[in-house]
Amino acid sequence: MFNLRKLLISQRSKPTLAVIGASAAAILSSGLANAGAWVPKQGEGYNKLAYAYYEADEFRGDNDNFSEFIGENTSFYGEYGLGNNFAVYGQLLYQSLEQTDANNVKQTNNGFGDAEIGIRYQWQADPFVLSTSFLAKLPYLYDEDDDLALGNGQEDYELRVLLGKSLNQYGYLGAEFGYRYRSGAPSDEYRYLLEYGFSVNNNLYLRTKLDGVLSAENADSNASDTNANLLVVPEFDSGKWELTAGWTFDSSSKNKWGLELTYTQDIYGKNTLEGDSIQLGLTRVF
C-alpha cells in the first residue's frame, strides 16, 4: 500500500503517512510478505532487503524431543507496477537454521528457501480498495531430503482477496483472506491478515498486524513427517502478532529510502513453534 503512503508523504500540510503494506510476513515462515491492497502505478515499486533473527524454545504440539530452534534469514522482497492496475511481486530467502533436541543434539542447515512470486490486480479504489492476488511458491533451491530441510519441498498456489481503507490523518486499515493449495502431502491452508498503520510525522510511521494460518485439515493421511524442521510440519495453525516502526529518510525525494524495525511474536497456534523474532530492513519506495 505504498501508493497511499506516497500520496500522504507529499501532503506536508497533513501529519499523515500511510504505512507501506509491503512488509515481511511471519518471519522464517513460507508466507510471502504481502504488499497490501494498494497496487503501484506503472514503473513504480517497492524493495526491502532485511535480516531477521528468530528463536523458539516451545512447541505447541506433541513433541517431547524438542529443546530449541534458532533461525536467521536474509530476505529480498520486491514489487513493480505493470500498469492497468497490475503489479508483480516476489521474495527470495536465504536461511541459516539450528534445531536442538532434548538430548542436546543439534541439526543445522543453510541455503536458499522457497522462492515466491505473485501477481496482484486492483479492482477498485473507492469507497475502499479491493484487490486480488495469485501467488506461487517454488521449492527448487534446496534439497527436500535434507534432515533439516529448508522447506516442505512442494509447490503451493494461493488466491487472496485484499481490502484496504484510508482513514486519512488516522492512518489506514487492511484485511486479507486467502486459500493456499499445497500440491504435496501437507494440508491446504486458510490465510488471514488484519493490519493497522499510521504516521507520527513525515518520517516516522508505525504498523501492527495479525497474520494467521488455519489448516484445512486435509493433509495426506499417509504422509510421514520425515523433515525435522518444526517450522514446516504438514499440518498446523498459527497466529503471529507484528509491530513495526519505520523511518523514511527523505520523504520529498522520488526514491524514498528508509529503515524498518519489526518485532514478531507467535501468540497462538497448534502444532507449531512458539517464539519471537526481530527484523531490521532497508526499504526503498520509487
Side-chain angles (χ1 to χ4, degrees):
M1 60 187 60
F2 62 86
N3 275 350
L4 179 61
R5 175 187 175 192
K6 204 172 197 180
L7 173 64
L8 296 177
I9 287 174
S10 66
Q11 299 175 347
R12 288 188 172 272
S13 61
K14 298 180 181 180
T16 56
L17 172 63
V19 183
I20 40 182
S23 60
I27 305 302
L28 294 170
S29 73
S30 62
L32 179 69
N34 289 295
W38 284 264
V39 170
K41 296 179 181 178
Q42 184 175 9
E44 297 182 353
Y46 172 82
N47 300 138
K48 182 174 182 177
L49 179 65
Y51 166 80
Y53 178 87
Y54 175 84
E55 184 172 341
D57 58 8
E58 296 289 341
F59 183 77
R60 295 185 176 100
D62 184 15
N63 191 315
D64 297 328
N65 196 36
F66 171 72
S67 177
E68 184 180 51
F69 183 97
I70 295 175
E72 298 176 77
N73 75 42
T74 301
S75 61
F76 176 78
Y77 172 84
E79 68 173 273
Y80 185 79
L82 300 176
N84 297 318
N85 294 326
F86 281 98
V88 293
Y89 58 95
Q91 178 170 270
L92 188 62
L93 187 73
Y94 186 90
Q95 304 178 86
S96 295
L97 308 180
E98 178 183 290
Q99 189 163 284
T100 306
D101 67 18
N103 297 314
N104 205 34
V105 176
K106 297 184 188 311
Q107 292 179 300
T108 62
N109 199 1
N110 61 78
F112 288 103
D114 293 308
E116 298 187 317
I117 187 167
I119 188 166
R120 193 167 72 257
Y121 178 75
Q122 182 174 319
W123 296 89
Q124 66 178 45
D126 292 311
F128 55 86
V129 177
L130 170 65
S131 298
T132 52
S133 66
F134 174 78
L135 166 73
K137 178 183 77 66
L138 308 174
Y140 306 139
L141 301 177
Y142 59 89
D143 187 350
E144 64 182 280
D145 294 324
D146 287 345
D147 290 337
L148 190 67
L150 301 170
N152 277 117
Q154 89 288 324
E155 295 85 0
D156 291 355
Y157 304 99
E158 179 183 292
L159 289 172
R160 187 175 290 230
V161 176
L162 308 94
L163 306 171
K165 177 65 176 177
S166 170
L167 304 178
N168 299 315
Q169 68 267 33
Y170 302 108
Y172 77 95
L173 289 171
E176 303 176 14
F177 306 94
Y179 186 85
R180 177 169 290 208
Y181 168 76
R182 311 183 78 189
S183 61
S187 169
D188 295 346
E189 297 169 349
Y190 299 99
R191 297 279 181 127
Y192 58 93
L193 184 146
L194 302 172
E195 67 177 304
Y196 171 68
F198 69 97
S199 68
V200 178
N201 53 45
N202 281 341
N203 299 99
L204 177 65
Y205 57 92
L206 302 175
R207 176 179 66 246
T208 187
K209 64 171 64 176
L210 173 68
D211 194 355
V213 175
L214 182 64
S215 171
E217 299 184 351
N218 62 351
D220 188 338
S221 59
N222 297 318
S224 59
D225 189 15
T226 57
N227 185 353
N229 186 345
L230 292 178
L231 279 177
V232 290
V233 296
E235 194 168 286
F236 68 95
D237 301 334
S238 74
K240 299 174 183 288
W241 172 71
E242 176 187 299
L243 179 63
T244 296
W247 181 270
T248 301
F249 292 111
D250 184 2
S251 60
S252 63
S253 67
K254 182 178 180 180
N255 289 290
K256 299 173 179 62
W257 292 90
L259 286 176
E260 286 191 350
L261 181 65
T262 299
Y263 170 75
T264 304
Q265 183 179 45
D266 301 315
I267 57 174
Y268 58 84
K270 180 178 67 174
N271 207 28
T272 187
L273 290 171
E274 180 181 351
D276 51 20
S277 68
I278 291 289
Q279 183 194 73
L280 180 63
L282 175 67
T283 64
R284 173 177 173 250
V285 179
F286 60 93

